[in-house]
């Protein structure tokens, strides 16, 4: 299982038979029809003899024509039977002249569906400026196939160029270097040029079109957003260059050139997305105090762990995310302290425990690091498990190695060995033991139960010991509130948290969520003391609202519904809607709110919440 390379999430031809070396996109973005129209030229390398057909992943694409670009010969094609969750394979009959070692260039003319799962089209009213429409993409995990016909597998990496035509008053950005504009006499449109000369997997293809402005915040970083948010974003993420430099010191040179940030509208479903050259960031990170900058550290780390060295399939997703959390927290240690690194691991343990608990009643398979994705949409397995369990495994191994410096030497060697390639868990394990062969021979890793860590379900077999300096104040205050009786409420005041930073307040609330429900009197008193309802930090507000719902505090229901409906980040929207669906006084209102707002949500978010609703209410 650890050495499996086949990608069960792709219906395309295996990259061992045919592989895409580069592609060229020519797109017209049509907001009126909510379609992208145009073509893609795929440059293919034939790696086997007797190859007569090419299969590409698609999802709801309208294919108009396929041709061999060398002679404009039309190639026969057909869309095959749709799969229940993996889209519809496109079969292309190849010229009889193809043979092992030859190259082939084909052009596919097509258009996307108005309901393409990779795209969200926003009406002007859904944007901050309220004047212009907006489009953004999210291709991870398997949504690139709704954007263009491709080998939609992380095992396939290709360079790309693009020409993108958009309304003249809008800006287009992609996960590539900006190449300026193509001269045109058309006064209604602009055509932007892009070039990505580092091979990427399809899930890292990204586009955004909107009324965007930028601010320079570093030698290789612009921050982009709508006018209304761009200055706030520039302040919030002003330390991005320090993060890039810390990662370079640890992992080697940054190869992508530009490292821009884009703050998206509220419906963006994730905290961030590591698109090369243009990292997407949720607006929920705009807390006003730079306290959410760890999200940027995570996405910056992905420039190496995930983008440069990539999991060969989504069954090995922990190689992307476990490594990235591990590096993210090392960046935090460099910029803050090792105490802060361990503090984040303490919070991560609880997030992992919550995910394991949730899957314990539905699918324990999803709590393994190496998954089996037979006929399973990778989105259905998404959780903190690959992030936290994976990074914990690396933290544990680092402790066994006994030296952070030595482990970072391994990280640099690992990046150098596998850069520009896609690997599985066995590749990583073999390289790890080879790099530390002397320690392995000396029995340093004898205690490691590799199969239990990688293939076992549930919590990790070992819980590392952490520095608790920063967490003690959180656990002490949690203990006081958890044990508070009616007569104790006069003993609490805002002074209790004045020396805590935002991450400590988040930890305090997270700890309380693991305790039995507070009394409604305590909830009212906490609201009075700390005024969490007025917090501008979405992470704090989210935990506070969950705490209120757990206490069956009905005055919080409308606030929770409003928060879950406004912020499309799945980390917030899914747990809150799940809490609301389970709460009898809130269920009907929550269902109505979800149905009222689902068209404004990203397709990934609305699909997952709809599945949650069915699971909870039947």
């Amino acid at each position: 299982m650890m050495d499996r390379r086949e990608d069960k999430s792709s219906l395309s031809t295996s990259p061992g038979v045919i592989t895409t070396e580069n592609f060229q996109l020519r797109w017209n973005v049509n907001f009126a029809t909510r379609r992208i129209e145009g073509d893609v030229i795929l440059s293919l390398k034939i790696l086997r003899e007797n190859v007569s057909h090419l299969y590409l992943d698609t999802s709801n694409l309208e294919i108009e024509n396929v041709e061999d670009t060398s002679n404009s010969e039309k190639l026969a094609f057909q869309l095959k039977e749709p799969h229940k969750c993996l889209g519809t394979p496109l079969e292309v009959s190849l010229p009889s002249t193809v043979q092992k070692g030859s190259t082939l260039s084909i052009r596919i003319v097509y258009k996307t569906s108005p309901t393409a799962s990779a795209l969200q089209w926003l009406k002007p009213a859904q944007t901050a400026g309220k004047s212009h429409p907006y489009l953004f993409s999210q291709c991870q995990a398997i949504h690139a196939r709704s954007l263009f016909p491709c080998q939609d597998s992380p095992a396939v990496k290709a360079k790309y160029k693009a020409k993108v035509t958009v309304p003249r008053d809008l800006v287009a950005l992609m996960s590539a270097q900006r190449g300026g504009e193509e001269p045109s006499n058309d006064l209604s449109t602009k055509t932007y040029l892009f070039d990505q000369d580092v091979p990427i997997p399809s899930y890292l293809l990204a586009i955004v079109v909107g009324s965007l402005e930028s601010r320079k915040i570093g030698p290789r970083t612009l921050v982009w957003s709508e006018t209304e948010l761009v200055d706030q974003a520039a302040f919030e993420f002003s330390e991005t260059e320090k993060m890039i430099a810390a990662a370079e010191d640890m992992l080697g040179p940054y190869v992508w050139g530009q490292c821009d940030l884009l703050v998206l509208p509220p419906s963006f479903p994730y905290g961030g997305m590591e698109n090369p050259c243009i990292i997407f960031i949720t607006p929920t990170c705009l807390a006003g105090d730079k306290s959410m900058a760890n999200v940027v550290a995570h996405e910056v780390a992905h420039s190496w762990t995930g983008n440069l060295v990539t999991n060969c399939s989504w069954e090995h997703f922990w190689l992307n995310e476990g490594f990235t959390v591990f590096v993210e927290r090392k960046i935090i240690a460099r910029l803050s302290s090792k105490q802060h690194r361990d503090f984040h691991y303490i919070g991560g343990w609880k997030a992992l425990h919550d995910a394991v608990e949730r899957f314990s009643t539905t699918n324990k398979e999803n709590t393994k690091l190496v998954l089996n994705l037979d006929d399973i949409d990778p989105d259905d397995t998404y959780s903190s498990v690959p992030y936290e369990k994976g990074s914990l495994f690396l933290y544990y191994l680092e402790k066994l190695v006994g030296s952070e410096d030595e482990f970072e030497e391994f990280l640099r060697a690992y990046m150098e060995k596998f850069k520009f390639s896609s690997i599985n868990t066995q590749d990583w394990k073999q390289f790890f033991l080879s790099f530390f062969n002397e320690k392995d021979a000396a029995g340093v890793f004898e205690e490691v139960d590799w199969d239990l860590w990688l293939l076992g379900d549930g919590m990790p077999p070992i819980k590392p010991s952490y520095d608790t300096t920063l967490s003690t104040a959180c656990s002490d205050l949690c203990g006081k509130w958890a044990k508070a009786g009616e007569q104790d409420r006069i003993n609490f005041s805002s002074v209790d948290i004045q020396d805590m930073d935002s991450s400590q307040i988040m930890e305090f609330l997270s700890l309380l969520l693991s305790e039995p429900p507070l009394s409604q009197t305590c909830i009212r008193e906490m609201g009075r003391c700390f005024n969490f309802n007025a917090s501008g930090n979405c992470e704090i507000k989210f935990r506070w609202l969950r705490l209120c719902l757990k206490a069956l505090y009905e005055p919080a229901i409308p606030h929770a519904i409003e928060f879950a409906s406004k912020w499309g980040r799945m980390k917030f929207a899914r747990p809150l809607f799940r809490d609301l669906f389970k709460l009898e006084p809130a269920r009907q209102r929550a269902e109505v709110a979800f149905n009222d707002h689902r068209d404004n949500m990203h397709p990934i978010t609305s699909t997952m919440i709809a599945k949650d609703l069915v699971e909870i209410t039947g």
Side-chain angles (χ1 to χ4, degrees), residues 416-573:
E416 182 62 28
K417 169 72 174 176
F418 293 114
K419 65 183 179 183
F420 311 126
S421 61
S422 302
I423 67 171
N424 63 25
T425 298
Q426 189 65 23
D427 295 327
W428 161 77
K429 181 185 173 186
Q430 287 178 347
F431 182 74
F432 176 85
L433 292 176
S434 172
F435 185 87
F436 290 115
N437 65 309
E438 292 183 6
K439 292 183 182 293
D440 187 29
V444 170
F445 306 118
E446 277 186 0
E447 71 173 63
V448 180
D449 190 331
W450 297 94
D451 285 349
L452 190 56
W453 272 100
L454 296 167
L455 305 177
D457 59 43
M459 294 296 286
I462 291 172
K463 181 179 182 180
S465 58
Y466 301 115
D467 185 310
T468 59
T469 303
L470 295 174
S471 63
T472 298
C474 312
S475 54
D476 287 350
L477 186 59
C478 170
K480 291 177 182 177
W481 277 93
K483 296 173 184 175
E486 299 294 315
Q487 72 282 0
D488 295 322
R489 63 181 187 272
I490 59 172
N491 297 326
F492 297 106
S493 75
S494 59
V495 175
D496 295 339
I497 62 170
Q498 68 179 10
D499 294 328
M500 289 185 176
D501 63 23
S502 295
S503 61
Q504 287 176 299
I505 295 172
M506 289 156 50
E507 174 66 5
F508 157 63
L509 291 170
S510 294
L511 287 169
L512 274 178
L513 279 167
S514 300
E515 297 287 337
L518 294 177
S519 70
Q520 297 198 11
T521 300
C522 279
I523 289 290
R524 280 193 296 270
E525 189 62 18
M526 186 177 291
R528 184 193 65 80
C529 286
F530 304 144
N531 198 22
F532 288 142
N533 279 325
S535 176
N537 185 309
C538 286
E539 294 276 3
I540 291 173
K541 188 80 169 283
F542 164 66
R543 288 163 175 78
W544 165 242
L545 289 170
R546 293 200 74 192
L547 196 66
C548 292
L549 295 178
K550 185 173 182 177
L552 307 180
Y553 186 63
E554 293 193 28
I557 291 173
H559 298 291
I561 290 174
E562 179 187 16
F563 187 95
S565 301
K566 176 181 179 181
W567 300 113
R569 185 178 178 185
M570 285 200 292
K571 178 181 180 180
F572 299 151

Side-chain angles (χ1 to χ4, degrees), residues 164-410:
V164 180
T165 301
V166 302
R168 177 161 287 276
D169 50 1
L170 301 182
V171 174
L173 300 170
M174 292 191 76
S175 53
Q177 295 293 328
R178 299 185 303 280
E181 298 173 28
E182 188 173 68
S184 171
N185 294 322
D186 188 337
L187 299 180
S188 64
T189 64
K190 285 183 183 178
T191 297
Y192 290 89
L193 306 176
F194 302 95
D195 186 358
Q196 179 53 268
D197 62 0
V198 180
I200 65 165
S202 53
Y203 76 87
L204 291 178
L205 182 69
I207 184 170
V208 60
V209 181
S211 178
L212 301 170
E213 289 189 13
S214 67
R215 301 286 185 271
K216 189 175 180 64
I217 60 172
R220 46 191 157 182
T221 303
L222 300 175
V223 62
W224 296 84
S225 185
E226 295 182 79
T227 304
E228 292 76 9
L229 297 176
V230 70
D231 289 322
Q232 185 182 354
F235 166 78
E236 204 78 34
F237 307 131
S238 61
E239 297 183 352
T240 299
E241 177 59 29
K242 293 180 181 178
M243 298 176 184
I244 302 171
E248 282 188 309
D249 182 57
M250 198 186 317
L251 303 172
Y254 179 83
V255 304
W256 305 95
Q258 198 74 5
C259 186
D260 288 357
L261 308 178
L262 169 74
V263 177
L264 284 146
S267 57
F268 182 58
Y270 298 106
M273 182 61 207
E274 62 272 19
N275 302 308
C277 305
I278 182 74
I279 292 171
F280 286 9
I281 300 291
T282 171
T284 63
C285 287
L286 300 178
D289 59 2
K290 303 185 181 182
S291 60
M292 295 292 101
N294 66 296
V295 172
V296 177
H298 182 89
E299 304 309 331
V300 164
H302 263 306
S303 301
W304 289 265
T305 53
N307 296 9
L308 198 58
V309 179
T310 309
N311 50 228
C312 71
S313 77
W314 301 110
E315 294 186 323
H316 301 274
F317 187 45
W318 84 274
L319 290 173
N320 277 19
E321 295 300 351
F323 267 86
T324 299
V325 171
F326 184 75
V327 172
E328 166 205 336
R329 289 173 183 165
K330 278 185 163 287
I331 293 173
I332 289 169
R334 275 169 158 75
L335 300 185
S336 298
S337 71
K338 291 182 179 179
Q339 292 176 344
H340 282 85
R341 181 195 184 201
D342 277 18
F343 179 70
H344 282 275
Y345 269 110
I346 291 169
W349 180 269
K350 281 186 288 296
L352 175 59
H353 183 270
D354 289 347
V356 169
E357 282 288 299
R358 180 165 65 86
F359 283 129
S360 67
T361 57
T362 54
N363 192 344
K364 289 184 179 179
E365 287 288 315
N366 292 344
T367 65
K368 297 178 178 180
L369 281 184
V370 181
L371 299 173
N372 182 351
L373 294 180
D374 278 325
D375 287 335
I376 295 173
D377 183 341
D379 284 345
D380 289 345
T381 68
Y382 184 82
S383 76
S384 63
V385 172
Y387 297 74
E388 297 297 345
K389 194 172 184 178
S391 63
L392 273 169
F393 189 29
L394 296 172
Y395 184 99
Y396 164 63
L397 292 174
E398 182 183 61
K399 292 296 184 184
L400 291 181
V401 168
S403 165
E404 290 188 27
D405 289 342
E406 280 188 68
F407 204 84
E408 289 182 12
E409 288 176 17
F410 157 71

